[in-house]
């Protein structure tokens, strides 16, 4: 199913992403009204047949976030050509009313967040299992109104293993009282079929992601990482467009550097750099609030920026060396 981040790169990317040769893409509160001849491959509802049991599945997407990393209230559509429904409870009731007589078990795949999942399950009858996401928190299991609501670990750090047992005579199902929540590093050996599929995806969309492009000789500090970022921005040529960017100073947020991603000694890949300098494209289909920006400012404005206690790390000429009549190129991150 699609989540809020799947809108980040615009309508064309989402349309392409939804064309999945292996899986059904669920988008139950998303409506496409654009003019692409192929249309949008996301669907409201799907039925999976597991033996003689029919499992119905629908998926809900959470609302957008803004450039301040805050949820937008009231909610608006993410991008052009896609209209969203934010009345999640009513939308779920419509789907259950339309399809519940065709299935034996009803599942909601959710990217709403655990609190919203629990609230929806409390007020909407007919959902047997909610497989949640979006909330970056430790795993949780909540049972309410006959529904089991699961929140697995996030960022693929772990997974929740739940076994649903069906009585074929009555077509009823039970879930265990205790549900396994497993750390990915402590789980079973790598599944080779899954690994091959992931390798195929990476080979198609990011073939050079794990190619060595640098070597870390020492464990850099957070300050070292910021120095590396500033130095790289002083004279940078974008590989695809060939556009050259040059800066005279920079204001960098040390809070955007992930401690867990600071490089250990050894080989470094493109993915290591991406993880160290994460980019969050919020609002959707914009460069995002944590992208690298270049702005032109007067020396007077640069002096004012430097004098303002922003909490950002500054690299560039000292305050007394700034020429108020000169124009400076400033990098922001």
């Amino acid at each position: 199913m699609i989540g809020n981040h799947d809108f980040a790169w615009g309508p064309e990317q989402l349309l392409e992403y939804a064309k999945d040769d292996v899986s059904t893409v669920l988008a139950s509160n998303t409506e496409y009204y654009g003019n692409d001849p192929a249309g949008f491959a996301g669907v409201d509802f799907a039925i999976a047949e597991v033996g003689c049991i029919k499992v119905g599945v629908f998926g809900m997407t959470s609302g957008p976030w803004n450039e301040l990393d805050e949820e937008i209230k009231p909610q608006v559509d993410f991008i052009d050509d896609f209209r969203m429904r934010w009345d999640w409870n009513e939308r779920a009731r419509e789907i259950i009313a339309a399809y519940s007589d065709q299935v034996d078990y009803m599942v909601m795949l959710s990217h709403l967040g655990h609190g919203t999942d629990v609230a929806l399950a409390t007020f909407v009858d007919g959902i047997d299992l909610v497989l949640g996401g979006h909330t970056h928190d430790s795993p949780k299991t909540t049972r309410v109104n006959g529904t089991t609501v699961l929140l697995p670990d996030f960022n693929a750090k772990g997974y929740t293993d739940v076994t649903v047992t069906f009585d074929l005579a009555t077509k009823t199902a039970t879930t265990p009282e205790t549900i396994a929540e497993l750390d990915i590093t402590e789980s079973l050996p790598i599944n080779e079929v899954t690994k091959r599929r992931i390798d195929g995806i990476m080979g198609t969309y990011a073939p050079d992601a794990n190619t060595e492009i640098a070597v870390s000789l020492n464990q850099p500090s957070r300050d070292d990482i910021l120095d590396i970022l500033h130095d790289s921005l002083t004279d940078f040529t974008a590989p695809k467009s060939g556009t050259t960017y040059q800066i005279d100073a920079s204001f960098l947020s040390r809070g955007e550097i992930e401690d867990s991603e600071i490089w250990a000694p050894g080989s470094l890949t493109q993915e290591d750099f991406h993880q160290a300098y994460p980019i969050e494209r919020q609002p959707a289909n914009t460069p995002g609030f944590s992208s690298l920006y270049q702005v032109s400012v007067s020396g007077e404005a640069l002096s004012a920026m430097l004098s303002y206690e922003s909490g950002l790390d500054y690299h560039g000429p000292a305050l007394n060396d700034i020429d108020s009549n000169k124009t400076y190129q400033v990098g922001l991150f």
Side-chain angles (χ1 to χ4, degrees):
M1 63 158 292
I2 60 175
N4 56 307
H5 293 287
D6 296 315
F7 294 88
W9 299 91
E12 295 80 8
Q13 183 72 26
L14 181 54
L15 289 171
E16 184 63 27
Y17 166 77
K19 298 172 184 175
D20 195 308
D21 295 332
V22 178
S23 303
T24 299
V25 175
L26 293 164
S28 304
N29 63 319
T30 305
E31 177 188 357
Y32 176 65
Y33 61 90
N35 55 14
D36 188 296
F40 176 50
V43 299
D44 293 342
F45 188 78
I47 297 176
E49 295 192 19
V50 184
C52 57
I53 298 295
K54 292 184 177 181
V55 179
V57 189
F58 65 100
M60 293 291 200
T61 304
S62 61
W65 291 56
N66 64 19
E67 67 278 6
L68 301 178
D69 201 23
E70 301 169 337
E71 285 191 86
I72 296 176
K73 299 290 185 181
Q75 286 132 334
V76 296
D77 294 336
F78 285 97
I79 53 178
D80 293 340
D81 298 344
F82 286 88
R83 184 179 297 111
M84 305 299 298
R85 284 190 56 174
W86 304 122
D87 53 338
W88 297 304
N89 289 14
E90 184 57 31
R91 183 67 184 124
R93 292 189 186 99
E94 291 174 1
I95 291 171
I96 293 167
Y99 298 106
S100 61
D101 62 346
Q102 301 178 32
V103 300
D104 305 301
Y105 195 75
M106 186 69 75
V107 177
M108 181 176 80
L109 296 184
S110 171
H111 201 77
L112 300 179
H114 190 67
T116 304
D117 288 342
V118 172
L120 188 150
T122 300
F123 295 105
V124 177
D125 299 330
I127 302 173
D128 297 293
L129 180 65
V130 176
L131 301 177
H134 190 49
T135 299
H136 290 198
D137 202 349
S138 56
K140 293 181 176 63
T141 299
T142 304
R143 301 177 194 272
V144 60
N145 191 26
T147 304
T148 300
V149 183
L150 301 181
L151 174 70
D153 211 340
F154 63 98
N155 286 352
K157 295 178 180 178
Y159 66 96
T160 298
D161 189 357
V162 56
T163 299
V164 180
T165 303
F166 288 92
D167 184 325
L168 297 182
T170 62
K171 295 291 184 75
T172 58
T174 58
T175 55
E177 286 298 319
T178 302
I179 294 176
E181 296 162 349
L182 305 173
D183 188 300
I184 202 74
T185 60
E186 300 172 357
S187 60
L188 298 175
I190 294 173
N191 182 288
E192 289 301 321
V193 174
T194 302
K195 182 179 183 302
R196 285 196 298 271
R197 289 180 177 174
I198 292 174
D199 288 344
I201 294 170
M202 293 296 291
T204 299
Y205 296 103
D208 299 321
N210 294 313
T211 300
E212 180 184 290
I213 60 174
V215 174
S216 174
L217 300 179
N218 301 292
Q219 180 83 47
S221 67
R222 187 182 290 260
D223 288 335
D224 293 333
I225 294 288
L226 290 171
D227 290 341
I228 292 170
L229 179 58
H230 171 78
D231 291 343
S232 68
L233 293 175
T234 55
D235 191 356
F236 171 73
T237 300
K240 287 190 176 182
S241 67
T243 304
T244 297
Y245 300 89
Q246 295 178 318
I247 64 168
D248 307 300
S250 67
F251 291 88
L252 308 175
S253 173
R254 61 178 39 243
E256 294 297 333
I257 306 298
E258 298 283 350
D259 280 332
S260 61
E261 304 298 343
I262 290 180
W263 306 317
S267 177
L268 295 177
T269 67
Q270 289 185 19
E271 190 64 19
D272 291 318
F273 279 79
H274 292 159
Q275 293 294 334
Y277 305 117
I279 303 300
E280 191 72 80
R281 287 174 65 90
Q282 294 172 189
N285 205 25
T286 70
F289 70 85
S290 61
S291 291
L292 299 170
Y293 287 88
Q294 177 181 312
V295 296
S296 298
V297 301
S298 66
E300 182 179 3
L302 179 59
S303 296
M305 293 168 69
L306 183 54
S307 299
Y308 181 74
E309 295 182 5
S310 65
L312 300 175
D313 283 72
Y314 173 72
H315 295 68
L319 183 61
N320 292 336
D321 295 331
I322 296 174
D323 184 345
S324 60
N325 297 315
K326 179 182 175 181
T327 298
Y328 290 84
Q329 302 300 320
V330 180
L332 304 174
F333 176 69

